[in-house]
Amino acid sequence: MPDKGTRPDLAAIRQAAERISGLVHRTPLLRSRSLDRMFDGELHFKCEHLQRVGAFKARGAANAVFLLSDKELGRGVATHSSGNHGAAVALAASTKNAQAWVVMPEDTPAVKKRAVESYGANIVSCKPGLGNREAALQKLVDEKGVHVIHPYNDYRVIAGQGTVALEIMEQQEDIDLLMVPVGGGGLLSGSLLVIKELRPQVQVIGIQPARADDARQALDRGERVIIDCPDTIADGLRASLGDKTFPIIAELADDIVTVSEDAIVEATRLIWERMKQLIEPSAAVPVAALLEGRIELKGRRAAVVFTGGNLDLDRLPWQ
Amino acid sequence: MPDKGTRPDLAAIRQAAERISGLVHRTPLLRSRSLDRMFDGELHFKCEHLQRVGAFKARGAANAVFLLSDKELGRGVATHSSGNHGAAVALAASTKNAQAWVVMPEDTPAVKKRAVESYGANIVSCKPGLGNREAALQKLVDEKGVHVIHPYNDYRVIAGQGTVALEIMEQQEDIDLLMVPVGGGGLLSGSLLVIKELRPQVQVIGIQPARADDARQALDRGERVIIDCPDTIADGLRASLGDKTFPIIAELADDIVTVSEDAIVEATRLIWERMKQLIEPSAAVPVAALLEGRIELKGRRAAVVFTGGNLDLDRLPWQ
C-alpha cells in the first residue's frame, strides 16, 4: 500500500491502477508511419494528452486523494501547482465531494485558472515566486487543516504516475526502450519502479531540456541539484527532482539525456504536423532527443509518453 | 464493380474497402467526455485526419487508381487538386509505381507542394484560376495520355469515400445520426449509399459553410448550383456538387444545414482544446452546427467524420 512513507513496489502500483480506474482513461498507444521511417525504428506513443485534464498528472493526484480518510477529505486538499497537477487535484477532489484549494500566482494565464475552476476548486491568488506560493499554501494548512498533495515528491503520486508504464506493458510488452520526459521526476520514478521489476531488460531513459538539466547534473554529481526558475519552453519540466524521486532515478534509470530548445520546438511541430496530435512542448522532448541524435532508435521498438496537451493556442511555440 | 459509369451500391463499396485495405488505415472512433456533456448526447468521431495523407481523400484516390489497367497506369494519372486529393492521388500512384502529375497554381503554399513531392509526384505549375488549371491538365491528357482522377465527381472515388461510413457502421452500428462535411459531395454521397442500404433509419446530414452553401441551395431549387471561389476558411469545402454527387444527395440526404465562419473557427478551437486533435477547419463544420443549434443532438448517438488535419500551422484559424 503506497503511502507518504514507503517507496511503492510493483504490487502497490497495481493497487493504484485499480484504485484510480474509475476516474482515469486507459489511453491508447498511437503509431506513426512517418516517424518510424524517419528514425528507422518502431515508436509507440502513449497518449496521456488524451487523459483526463489533458495530462498524466490525473493519475498521481487521483491516487493520493483516493487514499485519504473521510476525515482528511472533510478538511480538503491543496496544492500550489498552477499547471496540470493543480487541475488534476481539483478533478480528483471533486469526485470525492472534497474541497480543493489551488494556490496560483496573480500572473497565471486565465485559461489555467478556468481549467481549475471548472472542476469546482477554489483559487487562492498570491504574488509570483515560489516563496510566496509556499507561504500561501502554509497559511491554508494552518487555518483550514488542508491536506497538501505535492506534484511529484510523494510516493502516492509516484505510484499513480507509475500506472502509465503499467498500461504500456499491457498494451505493448516487448519494447526495448521507454522514453520519458523528466521534470520533478514523478513519472520517471513511477515508470522505473514498474519496468525494472516487471521487465528489467527494457532500457528507460529520461529526457530534459538542456536549460533545465537538474537530473542530468544530479546523476553526474551524485546529489540533488536545484535549478531555480529554468528558462525553457517546456513549462512542465521546470521543476527539479525531489528527495523521493532522486534516489529512485539515481538507482534505476539507464540514462538522462538533454535537448536544446530549438529541438523541442521542432519536435512539437513535427508531432502536430505528422501525427495531428496536439501535445505541449514538454511532451515533445523524447522526439527532440531522437532529432538531435541523443538517443538512437535504429532497429529498436520504443514507447514514448506524450505527457500532456495543454498549451496556449494563441501563441504557438514556433510563433 | 464501381467504374466511371455506374453508381456504386453497397456491394461495390465493400469491394472498394477490400481493394484499398492494404494502403489506407482503419482509423479509430474517438470519444470526448466534455463534448458529450456540452451537447447532451453521445458523439463518436471518425478520425480521418489520422488517415494516410491526413485526410479521407486517400480512400477515393486509392480506389480509382487501383481500378486502372496496367496500360492506363503506364501512362500515369493526374489531377489539378492542390489540396488533400492531390496528395492522395500521388500516394496511390506511388504504390503502383505509376507516374502522377498534380497541376498546382503558382501561389500554392510550399507545404502543399512538399507533401505532393514527398510521394514522388510531378508538380505542374500554372497561373491561378480554375480555367488555367483545367487547361494545364488537358495539356497533360493531350500530350501524355494521362488518366485524370476527379476529386469527387467520379463513382470510383465516391465508392472509396463510402468506405468511411462502412467502417463507422462496423465500429459503432447503433447510431441515430451521421454528420458529414460537404464540399463536392464525394464523402456524403458515398456515405449515403452505404447507410441508406445498410441501416436506412440512420439520419444522414451534410454540413456546409453558409458562404459555400451550393448543396443547400441545390436542394431548395432542385438543380445544381455552382458557387465560384466561395470565401470560406473551410478550404476543403469550396467545391460545388457535381452531376454525379448531386442526384445521390438530392435523393438520399436527410438534410443539409449551414454554419457561420465564426462557428467554424470556434468549433475548430474547441476540438483542438478539448480533444487535442489537430483537425482542419473543414472538419469542424459538424461541431459548428451543434454550436449554432442547427442540429440537435440531445439524447442521441451520432457519428461525426473528422475529414482531415492539414492546415498552415504558421497562421491558425483564430489568428
Side-chain angles (χ1 to χ4, degrees), chain A residues 60-315:
Chain A
N63 192 46
V65 168
F66 293 176
L67 278 164
L68 296 178
S69 67
D70 287 348
K71 195 174 160 193
E72 288 168 314
L73 287 171
R75 288 195 298 263
V77 296
T79 183
H80 66 63
S81 159
S82 59
N84 294 326
H85 177 68
V89 167
L91 168 65
S94 75
T95 66
K96 290 288 181 183
N97 295 312
Q99 291 240 66
W101 283 266
V102 180
V103 174
M104 288 185 155
E106 296 157 355
D107 57 358
T108 302
V111 59
K112 292 199 169 178
K113 290 186 187 172
R114 279 200 302 275
V116 167
E117 282 171 339
S118 74
Y119 298 113
N122 309 290
I123 291 175
V124 177
S125 256
C126 70
K127 298 218 173 298
L130 185 60
N132 293 321
R133 287 159 64 163
E134 286 180 341
L137 190 57
Q138 189 56 47
K139 192 154 169 272
L140 284 170
V141 173
D142 296 343
E143 290 178 1
K144 299 182 193 290
V146 298
H147 184 94
V148 173
I149 299 176
H150 191 277
Y152 53 87
N153 204 41
D154 178 319
Y155 288 132
R156 304 165 304 180
V157 172
I158 292 170
Q161 320 303 35
T163 63
V164 174
L166 207 55
E167 283 182 20
I168 291 172
M169 297 311 282
E170 288 164 10
Q171 292 167 304
Q172 184 68 44
E173 186 191 43
D174 53 345
I175 54 171
D176 305 303
L177 168 64
L178 174 64
M179 291 186 262
V180 178
V182 184
L187 178 61
L188 179 56
S189 297
S191 300
L192 286 165
L193 294 172
V194 168
I195 301 285
K196 295 303 180 180
E197 189 167 342
L198 203 56
R199 206 173 162 89
Q201 70 271 34
V202 175
Q203 196 183 18
V204 181
I205 301 182
I207 302 99
Q208 293 199 303
R211 289 193 184 171
D213 68 340
D214 74 287
R216 178 64 264 166
Q217 288 189 43
L219 289 199
D220 292 339
R221 298 190 198 175
E223 61 178 10
R224 285 207 292 144
V225 172
I226 308 293
I227 302 180
D228 261 336
C229 302
D231 176 28
T232 171
I233 193 167
D235 57 354
L237 306 180
R238 289 178 187 153
S240 299
L241 300 185
D243 63 8
K244 295 190 174 58
T245 54
F246 169 66
I248 299 171
I249 291 168
E251 182 191 332
L252 298 174
D254 290 282
D255 202 0
I256 301 282
V257 303
T258 64
V259 294
S260 72
E261 296 293 300
D262 283 351
I264 296 171
V265 173
E266 187 185 342
T268 304
R269 184 163 180 151
L270 180 72
I271 292 157
W272 285 36
E273 285 184 347
R274 302 296 175 91
M275 300 188 67
K276 314 298 180 194
Q277 298 303 299
L278 210 145
I279 57 154
E280 56 188 76
S282 302
V285 296
V287 171
L290 294 174
L291 283 172
E292 294 199 305
R294 301 304 175 97
I295 298 173
E296 180 65 52
L297 185 65
K298 195 175 171 56
R300 295 200 289 170
R301 178 178 290 134
V304 173
V305 184
F306 279 165
T307 44
N310 296 318
L311 80 168
D312 182 358
L313 290 179
D314 287 314
R315 194 165 149 267

Side-chain angles (χ1 to χ4, degrees), chain A residues 25 33 49-50 52 54 269 272-273 275-278 309-310 313-316 318-319, chain B residues 25 33 49-50 52 54 269 272-273 275-278 309-310 313-316 318-319:
Chain A
H25 295 316
R33 182 185 294 255
H49 63 303
L50 306 181
R52 301 293 302 275
R269 184 163 180 151
W272 285 36
E273 285 184 347
M275 300 188 67
K276 314 298 180 194
Q277 298 303 299
L278 210 145
N310 296 318
L313 290 179
D314 287 314
R315 194 165 149 267
L316 300 186
W318 45 88
Q319 289 181 322
Chain B
H25 295 315
R33 181 185 295 255
H49 64 302
L50 306 182
R52 300 293 302 274
R269 184 163 180 153
W272 285 36
E273 285 184 349
M275 300 189 66
K276 314 298 178 192
Q277 297 303 299
L278 210 145
N310 296 319
L313 291 177
D314 286 314
R315 192 165 150 268
L316 300 186
W318 45 87
Q319 289 181 321

Side-chain angles (χ1 to χ4, degrees), chain B residues 52-75:
Chain B
R52 300 293 302 274
V53 314
F56 73 92
K57 297 278 187 178
R59 298 172 183 263
N63 192 47
V65 169
F66 294 177
L67 278 164
L68 297 178
S69 67
D70 286 348
K71 194 174 160 194
E72 288 168 313
L73 287 172
R75 287 195 297 263

Side-chain angles (χ1 to χ4, degrees), chain B residues 5-25:
Chain B
T6 314
R7 184 193 282 198
D9 59 8
L10 181 60
I13 297 174
R14 286 195 202 280
Q15 286 166 14
E18 179 72 22
R19 184 175 300 119
I20 67 178
S21 62
L23 181 61
V24 306
H25 295 315

Side-chain angles (χ1 to χ4, degrees), chain B residues 186-207:
Chain B
L187 178 61
L188 179 56
S189 298
S191 300
L192 286 165
L193 294 172
V194 168
I195 300 286
K196 295 303 179 181
E197 188 167 345
L198 202 57
R199 205 175 164 88
Q201 69 271 34
V202 175
Q203 197 184 17
V204 180
I205 302 181
I207 302 101

